[in-house]
Amino acid sequence: MPLTLRPYRPATDSAFLLDWITGPTELLTWSGPSFSWPLDEAQLAAYATEPDRHTWTAVASDTGRPVGHISLRRHPDTPGARLGRVLLAPDARGRGLGEALLTLAVERAFGELGLPELDLGVYAHNTPAVRLYERVGFRTHRVIPDVEQVDGVWWTALQMRLPAPEAAQ
């Protein structure tokens, strides 16, 4: 199922995100402490209008059905940007679509937007996400222990980076 990215439309696409994020731990895993539980349309609408943020919905090319979400926000003090809020519909997981989604966003970042590098943050215990980011070329450049405590367990964050192909040579 090939994917395409289209701009995120809060009025219609928020419903998908609200269905896909089913609890406070899943929300924290997806977005860090940026949102509060319960997630709602007002929070998602505000997020979509943040300055320097690009938000996209991944749709199945054959059906037009939303199957994922991703965003990118330019850094105010550096030329790079932060990739984040990567999410696939539960029924779309485990089929290679995460890599397709990430590849499309990276191509936009380095192509259309001309960015020199991308950063992202991921919790270390989110092994499938860490492996996905590594497959696309991201490398850990910083480990931040004990950033969030969930049910008495401290979570460690990894900060990962991917330079633009020209910058990597």
Side-chain angles (χ1 to χ4, degrees):
M1 161 189 335
L3 298 179
T4 57
L5 291 182
R6 66 161 168 75
Y8 170 70
R9 300 184 295 234
T12 55
D13 297 342
S14 292
F16 296 106
L17 292 176
L18 294 172
D19 284 344
W20 299 343
I21 300 168
T22 59
T25 301
E26 193 171 10
L27 177 63
L28 184 65
T29 300
W30 175 62
S31 66
S34 302
F35 295 103
S36 61
W37 186 257
L39 186 60
D40 57 34
E41 291 181 15
Q43 291 180 78
L44 291 169
Y47 145 73
T49 62
E50 290 174 1
D52 298 320
R53 182 173 300 278
H54 299 267
T55 54
W56 297 289
T57 297
V59 297
S61 299
D62 56 348
T63 64
R65 180 177 77 92
V67 295
H69 178 85
I70 196 164
S71 76
L72 181 147
R73 187 168 188 188
R74 290 180 184 251
H75 294 304
D77 303 326
T78 67
R82 186 162 185 87
L83 196 63
R85 315 278 164 69
V86 180
L87 186 65
L88 284 176
D91 66 349
R93 296 175 189 163
R95 300 178 11 210
L97 298 177
E99 190 166 349
L101 170 61
L102 210 55
T103 299
L104 288 170
V106 166
E107 287 172 355
R108 288 227 178 149
F110 294 148
E112 288 174 32
L113 301 175
L115 298 172
E117 68 182 16
L118 290 173
D119 291 327
L120 63 81
V122 61
Y123 293 111
H125 68 275
N126 190 351
T127 307
V130 173
R131 288 184 183 148
L132 167 63
Y133 299 140
E134 288 174 342
R135 275 196 310 275
V136 174
F138 284 86
R139 296 295 174 253
T140 299
H141 70 91
R142 186 172 171 214
V143 176
I144 308 169
D146 303 338
V147 295
E148 295 289 341
Q149 190 176 30
V150 179
D151 296 328
V153 176
W154 282 101
W155 289 7
T156 294
L158 304 178
Q159 299 299 306
M160 301 181 82
R161 181 168 290 148
L162 176 66
E166 315 81 57
Q169 298 175 1

